[in-house]
Amino acid sequence: VVRASVPGIKPEDVEITVADKLLTIRGETKADNEIKEENYHLRERRLGSFTRTIALPQNVDVDQIEAVNEHGALTLTIPKAASVKPKRIEVRKQIQSN
C-alpha cells in the first residue's frame, strides 16, 4: 500500500504510471480564488505540480494496482504477484532401439 497526500487536487489532475518497476505519481494543482466586495477585489491564483517516484519490488502484479482518492488522501493498493510454482520435469528412460 502506498499513501500520498494530495489535498485540493482533483482525481483527473493526478497521473499514475508504472514503468520498469518504478511507480510515478504526478499531479498538478490549479486554484483560482476571487472575492469581490464593496471596498476591495481579491483574485488569487495558485499553480503547482509535483512528481514522486517509488521503486517497486520485483514480485508485484502491476496489472492489478488500484488507486482511490478520498478526501485528499490517495491510496494505491499494489498486490503481490502470485508466486511462481517450480515446474517438475519428469526424467524418462531412454528406449533402446534394436
Side-chain angles (χ1 to χ4, degrees):
V1 175
V2 174
R3 290 190 176 97
S5 179
V6 290
I9 300 176
K10 298 176 187 174
E12 58 268 16
D13 292 334
V14 176
E15 178 185 349
I16 302 167
T17 57
V18 177
D20 298 325
K21 298 297 181 184
L22 292 176
L23 172 76
T24 303
I25 303 170
R26 287 186 180 91
E28 188 172 326
T29 180
K30 301 173 210 165
D32 191 3
N33 190 15
E34 185 173 3
I35 301 172
K36 292 182 180 181
E37 294 290 330
E38 185 177 321
N39 297 331
Y40 67 93
H41 181 123
L42 173 67
R43 184 170 195 156
E44 182 179 21
R45 291 185 180 178
R46 290 181 291 136
L47 298 173
S49 62
F50 68 90
T51 301
R52 298 290 181 267
T53 301
I54 302 165
L56 296 174
Q58 294 296 321
N59 61 343
V60 299
D61 187 354
V62 296
D63 294 326
Q64 298 299 318
I65 295 175
E66 293 181 1
V68 176
N69 185 351
E70 187 174 359
H71 304 295
L74 178 66
T75 302
L76 298 168
T77 304
I78 306 168
K80 291 182 180 179
S83 58
V84 178
K85 295 181 181 180
K87 181 180 177 183
R88 183 180 170 106
I89 300 172
E90 183 181 335
V91 178
R92 300 180 296 160
K93 262 185 158 179
Q94 183 179 3
I95 302 174
Q96 295 180 5
S97 59
N98 291 346

